[in-house]
Amino acid sequence: GENVEQHPSTLSVQEGDSAVIKCTYSDSASNYFPWYKQELGKGPQLIIDIRSNVGEKKDQRIAVTLNKTAKHFSLHITETQPEDSAVYFCAASIYNNNDMRFGAGTRLTVKP
Amino acid sequence: DADVTQTPRNRITKTGKRIMLECSQTKGHDRMYWYRQDPGLGLRLIYYSFDVKDINKGEISDGYSVSRQAQAKFSLSLESAIPNQTALYFCATSDLAGGTGELFFGEGSRLTVL
């Protein structure tokens, strides 16, 4: 089955700096790569996703890039703000398949 | 009100006890899931269901069972709880027809087994 690895496990940045979280996946059949943000005491919430027919997707301050050949994808957050502090999870699956595999999570802290 | 509601939010129990975690949703989604979250391990799928008659094992189903009583309700049972089932449990839903694959999570049920 799919195996997703995520790095780093913790990341601390200064407000206004950029943050990058990286994930690798093992199953070349995977074609859907979402990113979820989990705030303290809440369930994860989708913030951005990408399908394998594109290499990059952007939504305001967040972007995701995908390298299918190397089987890795990354989340980029620019101009970080304290409210970006949370745990971020990457995931991989075959689109609309039920067996989505998650990375171990990255705890991002943005220092004011 | 939350679209995906989990009860209880917190539960402390003893080894060997039977525990049920309940999930209800108002999103009208056909797919429902139970995930377990452990520090350093991310989210792992326990069971999922497409509709009332459909139950499927996930990555870590041993020691758990589920029941899909209605389209809106999906419960997770631990028949005889053990300490290594101490974790944060999440119910989630997604939409099959016209869905994007997005999972909608509840706020979690924290279970401690002593």
Side-chain angles (χ1 to χ4, degrees), chain A residues 32 36 38 41-46 49 87 89 95-105, chain B residues 9 31 33 35 37 40-43 45 48 50 59 90 96 99-103 105-107:
Chain A
Y32 176 62
Y36 285 81
Q38 184 180 22
K42 302 257 176 100
Q45 187 169 13
L46 181 73
D49 56 12
V87 178
F89 292 99
Y95 181 69
N96 230 3
N97 184 282
N98 296 284
D99 194 9
M100 185 175 294
R101 297 299 174 101
F102 286 81
Chain B
R9 294 292 313 278
R31 297 180 177 182
Y33 310 78
Y35 282 89
Q37 184 178 6
L41 293 178
L43 293 148
L45 182 63
Y48 61 96
F50 288 171
E59 187 184 353
F90 285 101
L96 174 60
T100 61
E102 180 178 358
L103 292 169
F105 286 88
E107 296 203 319

Side-chain angles (χ1 to χ4, degrees), chain A residues 41-61:
Chain A
K42 302 257 176 100
Q45 187 169 13
L46 181 73
I47 55 171
I48 194 166
D49 56 12
I50 191 168
R51 295 179 66 179
S52 60
N53 55 346
V54 296
E56 184 173 358
K57 185 176 177 181
K58 214 170 175 183
D59 183 3
Q60 300 183 344
R61 295 186 298 107

